[in-house]
Amino acid sequence: KLLTTKEVAERYRVSKGTIRKWVLSCRIPFVQANHATRFKESDLLRWEERNGRVARKVEVLKGYDAATTANKK
């Protein structure tokens, strides 16, 4: 299954801009399909395994940011 940039951004809970930066720096596997950037779900699963489940790391970091902001108020 091919995923769009928006779908991948939602999957990892980051912005579409972040996904584009990852593509430009070749940090995430992608393919070009009809002049559009797409992501093979199977490639993303392998990438997640090699990189320690990025989605969980992002979720933890966002939780940390929210807790830090709440403590400052």
Side-chain angles (χ1 to χ4, degrees), residues 4-35:
T4 65
T5 300
K6 180 182 177 185
E7 291 169 324
V8 174
E10 290 171 356
R11 178 183 185 120
Y12 297 117
R13 298 179 185 186
V14 297
S15 70
K16 291 188 298 185
T18 295
I19 298 300
R20 287 188 206 102
K21 287 177 188 176
W22 290 356
V23 167
L24 290 173
S25 63
C26 297
R27 290 183 57 193
I28 191 168
F30 67 95
V31 296
Q32 291 295 120
N34 297 325
H35 304 287

Side-chain angles (χ1 to χ4, degrees), residues 1-66:
K1 177 179 177 184
L2 291 177
L3 303 173
T4 65
T5 300
K6 180 182 177 185
E7 291 169 324
V8 174
E10 290 171 356
R11 178 183 185 120
Y12 297 117
R13 298 179 185 186
V14 297
S15 70
K16 291 188 298 185
T18 295
I19 298 300
R20 287 188 206 102
K21 287 177 188 176
W22 290 356
V23 167
L24 290 173
S25 63
C26 297
R27 290 183 57 193
I28 191 168
F30 67 95
V31 296
Q32 291 295 120
N34 297 325
H35 304 287
T37 302
R38 295 290 182 257
F39 306 85
K40 290 183 183 178
E41 191 167 32
S42 59
D43 288 348
L44 292 177
L45 291 171
R46 280 192 296 277
W47 179 74
E48 288 172 7
E49 289 300 322
R50 281 196 311 264
N51 291 288
R53 293 282 181 194
V54 173
R56 289 186 188 158
K57 288 182 181 179
V58 170
E59 185 175 334
V60 168
L61 289 173
K62 285 194 172 198
Y64 175 78
D65 289 343

